[in-house]
Amino acid sequence: NAGVTQTPKFQVLKTGQSMTLQCAQDMNHEYMSWYRQDPGMGLRLIHYSVGAGITDQGEVPNGYNVSRSTTEDFPLRLLSAAPSQTSVYFCASRGLAVSSYEQYFGPGTRLTVT
Amino acid sequence: DAKTTQPPSMDCAEGRAANLPCNHSTISGNEYVYWYRQIHSQGPQYIIHGLKNNETNEMASLIITEDRKSSTLILPHATLRDTAVYYCIVRVGGSNYKLTFGKGTLLTVNP
């Protein structure tokens, strides 16, 4: 299994540009989520999904859109990038069974908005 | 979910046990204690979790006090590769939970 994969690894955007961060998992996990991590801070939840067609907002959703058309993929869209969105973005997945206690994280996408 | 308090940083000598404390004095009966760690620039990694009883796996041991208001993660023989930020997280049980990360403890293992 590849686990959770994220692309790109690095990205530089100009203010106002749009882009999509890709996340995919091959573990058939129902639950997927996006976090951002600013320097010296813990992770903050942006959006999450409990299955295809179902998404919900996390702690810091403003400026980000998500959709979940398949179990495997959970892209994060920035419609109009702002410098405040400069951060490291992590995607994560896990099963929904009560016994699925471990959340698996991807390697991260490092985004700089100038 | 209950709030947790961890020291911002700790040091440990290589080969010695690393004991990382976590205070969760407002924990409720159905909340689990989870530990994750994040090695520099990587995504967080699950270590261990528990409800009431002490737990051990191949990575670490988790000791939860009888009143459940605090816990200690023990890395029995720390190596340089254990240098990381360690997060103690408390969350309710059930399938539809969200993890809330604080700032964690930066553990530095010294040669």
Side-chain angles (χ1 to χ4, degrees):
Chain A
N1 286 352
V4 180
T5 58
Q6 293 183 237
T7 56
K9 286 188 168 53
F10 300 94
Q11 183 70 48
V12 178
L13 290 178
K14 288 185 167 40
T15 297
Q17 286 185 316
S18 63
M19 80 159 295
T20 299
L21 308 186
Q22 301 291 345
C23 174
Q25 52 90 11
D26 61 358
M27 297 171 282
N28 203 32
H29 285 165
E30 300 95 332
Y31 184 95
M32 296 186 73
S33 55
W34 277 100
Y35 293 84
R36 62 175 286 174
Q37 184 173 35
D38 300 324
M41 304 290 289
L43 285 76
R44 292 185 292 171
L45 182 65
I46 305 172
H47 284 286
Y48 66 97
S49 167
V50 296
I54 306 170
T55 64
D56 206 346
Q57 296 181 349
E59 184 186 351
V60 288
N62 292 341
Y64 307 95
N65 279 351
V66 292
S67 59
R68 184 97 177 268
S69 56
T70 67
T71 299
E72 294 77 21
D73 301 297
F74 190 44
L76 178 72
R77 281 185 289 278
L78 285 71
L79 296 179
S80 179
S84 60
Q85 294 178 304
T86 293
S87 190
V88 181
Y89 291 83
F90 291 101
C91 179
S93 76
R94 64 171 171 84
L96 272 186
V98 174
S99 59
S100 296
Y101 43 80
E102 181 174 354
Q103 187 150 240
Y104 297 83
F105 286 81
T109 293
R110 284 143 188 83
L111 175 68
T112 302
V113 183
T114 60
Chain B
D1 291 340
K3 181 179 168 60
T4 62
T5 303
Q6 298 178 253
S9 63
M10 293 182 65
D11 285 306
C12 176
E14 189 177 20
R16 304 296 295 269
N19 297 280
L20 292 96
C22 180
N23 182 287
H24 32 79
S25 58
T26 60
I27 193 170
S28 58
N30 63 346
E31 290 182 310
Y32 289 75
V33 180
Y34 274 65
W35 284 84
Y36 278 74
R37 74 179 182 183
Q38 186 175 24
I39 296 171
H40 181 62
S41 298
Q42 298 180 19
Q45 175 191 23
Y46 165 84
I47 302 173
I48 199 167
H49 77 288
L51 182 63
K52 294 181 185 177
N53 300 322
N54 298 337
E55 302 287 345
T56 296
N57 63 20
E58 64 278 4
M59 287 183 68
S61 295
L62 174 60
I63 308 298
I64 303 175
T65 58
E66 193 168 345
D67 63 7
R68 303 208 323 123
K69 293 185 177 182
S70 66
S71 60
T72 301
L73 178 76
I74 300 172
L75 307 178
H77 305 287
T79 71
L80 299 179
R81 287 176 293 181
D82 292 321
T83 292
V85 177
Y86 287 78
Y87 297 99
C88 170
I89 301 166
V90 172
R91 68 137 183 102
V92 295
S95 60
N96 195 13
Y97 68 85
K98 299 188 283 288
L99 291 178
T100 301
F101 288 81
K103 293 187 180 181
T105 296
L106 172 61
L107 174 69
T108 302
V109 180
N110 300 305

Coordinates of all heavy atoms in Angstrom, one line a residue, chain B residues 39-76:
Chain B
I39 N 7.8 13.8 13.5 CA 9.2 14.0 13.3 C 9.4 15.2 12.3 O 8.5 15.3 11.4 CB 9.9 12.7 12.8 CG1 9.8 11.7 13.9 CG2 11.3 13.0 12.3 CD1 10.2 10.3 13.4
H40 N 10.4 16.0 12.4 CA 10.5 17.2 11.7 C 10.1 17.1 10.2 O 10.6 16.3 9.5 CB 12.0 17.7 11.8 CG 12.2 19.0 11.0 ND1 11.6 20.1 11.4 CD2 13.0 19.3 10.0 CE1 12.0 21.1 10.6 NE2 12.8 20.6 9.7
S41 N 9.1 18.0 9.9 CA 8.7 18.1 8.5 C 7.8 17.0 8.0 O 7.4 17.0 6.8 CB 9.8 18.4 7.5 OG 10.5 19.5 7.8
Q42 N 7.6 16.0 8.8 CA 6.8 14.8 8.3 C 5.4 14.9 8.9 O 5.1 15.7 9.8 CB 7.4 13.5 8.8 CG 8.8 13.3 8.2 CD 9.4 11.9 8.7 OE1 8.7 11.1 9.2 NE2 10.7 11.8 8.6
G43 N 4.5 14.1 8.3 CA 3.1 14.0 8.9 C 3.2 13.3 10.2 O 4.0 12.5 10.5
P44 N 2.2 13.6 11.1 CA 2.1 12.9 12.4 C 2.0 11.4 12.3 O 1.4 10.9 11.3 CB 0.9 13.6 13.0 CG 0.8 14.9 12.4 CD 1.2 14.7 11.0
Q45 N 2.4 10.7 13.3 CA 2.4 9.3 13.3 C 1.8 8.8 14.6 O 2.1 9.3 15.7 CB 3.8 8.7 13.2 CG 4.0 7.2 13.4 CD 5.4 6.8 13.5 OE1 6.3 7.6 14.0 NE2 5.7 5.6 13.2
Y46 N 0.8 7.9 14.5 CA 0.1 7.3 15.7 C 1.1 6.5 16.5 O 2.0 5.8 16.0 CB -1.0 6.4 15.2 CG -1.5 5.5 16.3 CD1 -2.5 6.0 17.2 CD2 -1.1 4.2 16.4 CE1 -3.0 5.1 18.2 CE2 -1.6 3.4 17.4 CZ -2.6 3.8 18.3 OH -3.0 3.0 19.2
I47 N 1.1 6.7 17.8 CA 1.9 5.9 18.7 C 1.1 4.9 19.5 O 1.3 3.7 19.4 CB 2.7 6.8 19.7 CG1 3.6 7.8 19.0 CG2 3.6 5.9 20.6 CD1 4.2 8.8 19.9
I48 N 0.1 5.4 20.3 CA -0.6 4.5 21.2 C -1.8 5.2 21.7 O -1.9 6.4 21.6 CB 0.4 4.1 22.4 CG1 -0.1 2.9 23.1 CG2 0.5 5.3 23.3 CD1 0.9 2.3 24.1
H49 N -2.8 4.5 22.2 CA -3.9 5.1 22.9 C -4.4 4.2 24.0 O -4.1 3.0 24.1 CB -5.0 5.4 21.8 CG -5.9 4.2 21.5 ND1 -5.3 3.2 20.6 CD2 -7.1 3.8 21.8 CE1 -6.2 2.2 20.5 NE2 -7.3 2.6 21.1
G50 N -5.3 4.8 24.9 CA -5.8 4.0 26.0 C -7.0 4.7 26.6 O -7.2 5.9 26.4
L51 N -7.8 4.0 27.3 CA -9.0 4.5 28.0 C -8.8 4.6 29.5 O -8.8 5.6 30.1 CB -10.2 3.7 27.7 CG -11.5 4.2 28.3 CD1 -11.9 5.5 27.7 CD2 -12.6 3.1 28.0
K52 N -8.5 3.4 30.1 CA -8.3 3.4 31.6 C -7.1 2.6 31.9 O -6.3 3.0 32.8 CB -9.5 2.6 32.2 CG -10.8 3.3 32.1 CD -11.9 2.5 32.9 CE -13.3 3.1 32.7 NZ -14.3 2.3 33.4
N53 N -6.9 1.5 31.2 CA -5.7 0.6 31.6 C -4.4 1.1 30.9 O -4.5 1.8 29.9 CB -6.0 -0.8 31.1 CG -7.3 -1.3 31.8 OD1 -7.6 -1.1 32.9 ND2 -8.1 -2.1 31.0
N54 N -3.4 0.7 31.5 CA -2.1 1.0 30.9 C -1.9 0.1 29.7 O -2.5 -1.0 29.6 CB -0.9 0.6 31.9 CG -1.0 1.5 33.2 OD1 -1.6 2.6 33.2 ND2 -0.4 1.0 34.2
E55 N -1.3 0.7 28.7 CA -1.1 0.0 27.4 C 0.3 0.0 27.0 O 1.1 0.9 27.3 CB -2.0 0.7 26.3 CG -3.4 0.9 26.6 CD -4.2 -0.4 26.4 OE1 -3.6 -1.4 25.9 OE2 -5.3 -0.5 26.9
T56 N 0.7 -1.1 26.2 CA 2.1 -1.2 25.7 C 2.0 -1.7 24.3 O 1.2 -2.6 24.0 CB 2.9 -2.1 26.6 OG1 3.0 -1.5 27.9 CG2 4.3 -2.3 26.0
N57 N 2.8 -1.2 23.4 CA 3.0 -1.8 22.1 C 4.5 -1.7 21.8 O 5.3 -1.4 22.6 CB 2.1 -1.1 21.1 CG 2.5 0.4 20.9 OD1 3.6 0.8 21.2 ND2 1.5 1.2 20.3
E58 N 4.8 -2.0 20.5 CA 6.2 -2.1 20.2 C 6.9 -0.7 20.2 O 8.1 -0.7 20.2 CB 6.3 -2.7 18.8 CG 5.8 -1.9 17.6 CD 4.2 -2.1 17.5 OE1 3.6 -2.8 18.3 OE2 3.7 -1.5 16.5
M59 N 6.2 0.3 20.2 CA 6.8 1.7 20.2 C 6.9 2.2 21.6 O 7.9 2.9 21.9 CB 6.0 2.6 19.4 CG 6.1 2.4 17.9 SD 5.1 3.7 17.0 CE 6.1 5.1 17.3
A60 N 5.9 2.1 22.5 CA 5.9 2.8 23.7 C 4.9 2.2 24.7 O 4.2 1.2 24.4 CB 5.4 4.2 23.4
S61 N 4.9 2.7 25.9 CA 4.0 2.4 26.9 C 3.2 3.6 27.3 O 3.8 4.7 27.3 CB 4.7 1.8 28.2 OG 5.3 0.5 27.9
L62 N 1.9 3.4 27.7 CA 1.1 4.5 28.1 C 0.6 4.2 29.5 O 0.0 3.1 29.7 CB -0.1 4.7 27.2 CG -1.2 5.7 27.6 CD1 -0.6 7.1 27.7 CD2 -2.3 5.7 26.6
I63 N 0.9 5.1 30.5 CA 0.5 4.9 31.8 C -0.6 6.0 32.1 O -0.3 7.2 32.0 CB 1.7 5.1 32.8 CG1 2.8 4.1 32.4 CG2 1.2 4.8 34.3 CD1 2.5 2.7 32.4
I64 N -1.8 5.5 32.5 CA -2.9 6.5 32.8 C -3.1 6.4 34.3 O -3.3 5.3 34.8 CB -4.1 6.1 32.0 CG1 -3.8 6.2 30.5 CG2 -5.3 7.1 32.4 CD1 -5.0 5.7 29.6
T65 N -3.2 7.5 35.0 CA -3.4 7.5 36.5 C -4.8 6.9 36.7 O -5.7 7.0 35.9 CB -3.3 8.9 37.1 OG1 -4.2 9.8 36.4 CG2 -1.8 9.4 36.9
E66 N -5.0 6.5 38.0 CA -6.3 5.9 38.3 C -7.5 6.8 38.2 O -8.6 6.4 37.7 CB -6.2 5.3 39.8 CG -7.4 4.4 40.1 CD -7.2 3.7 41.4 OE1 -6.0 3.7 41.9 OE2 -8.2 3.2 42.0
D67 N -7.2 8.1 38.5 CA -8.3 9.1 38.3 C -8.4 9.6 36.9 O -9.3 10.4 36.6 CB -8.1 10.3 39.3 CG -6.9 11.1 39.0 OD1 -6.2 10.8 38.0 OD2 -6.6 11.9 39.9
R68 N -7.5 9.2 36.0 CA -7.5 9.5 34.6 C -7.2 11.0 34.3 O -7.4 11.4 33.2 CB -8.7 9.0 33.9 CG -9.0 7.6 34.0 CD -9.8 7.0 32.9 NE -10.9 7.8 32.3 CZ -10.9 8.2 31.1 NH1 -10.0 7.7 30.2 NH2 -11.9 8.9 30.6
K69 N -6.7 11.7 35.3 CA -6.5 13.1 35.1 C -5.1 13.4 34.4 O -4.8 14.5 34.1 CB -6.7 13.9 36.4 CG -8.1 13.9 36.8 CD -8.3 14.7 38.1 CE -9.8 14.8 38.5 NZ -10.0 15.6 39.6
S70 N -4.3 12.4 34.4 CA -3.0 12.6 33.7 C -2.5 11.3 33.2 O -3.0 10.2 33.6 CB -2.0 13.2 34.7 OG -1.7 12.3 35.7
S71 N -1.5 11.4 32.3 CA -0.9 10.2 31.7 C 0.5 10.4 31.4 O 1.0 11.6 31.3 CB -1.7 9.7 30.5 OG -1.7 10.7 29.5
T72 N 1.3 9.4 31.2 CA 2.7 9.5 30.8 C 3.0 8.5 29.7 O 2.6 7.3 29.7 CB 3.6 9.1 32.0 OG1 3.3 10.0 33.1 CG2 5.1 9.2 31.6
L73 N 3.6 9.0 28.6 CA 4.0 8.2 27.5 C 5.5 7.9 27.8 O 6.3 8.7 28.1 CB 4.0 9.0 26.2 CG 4.5 8.2 25.0 CD1 3.5 7.1 24.6 CD2 4.8 9.1 23.8
I74 N 5.8 6.6 27.7 CA 7.2 6.1 28.0 C 7.8 5.5 26.8 O 7.2 4.5 26.2 CB 7.2 5.1 29.2 CG1 6.6 5.7 30.4 CG2 8.6 4.6 29.5 CD1 6.4 4.7 31.6
L75 N 8.9 6.1 26.4 CA 9.7 5.4 25.3 C 10.9 4.8 26.1 O 11.7 5.4 26.6 CB 10.3 6.5 24.3 CG 9.3 7.4 23.7 CD1 10.0 8.4 22.8 CD2 8.2 6.7 22.9
P76 N 10.9 3.4 26.1 CA 11.8 2.8 27.1 C 13.3 3.0 26.8 O 14.1 3.0 27.7 CB 11.4 1.3 26.9 CG 10.7 1.2 25.6 CD 10.1 2.5 25.4

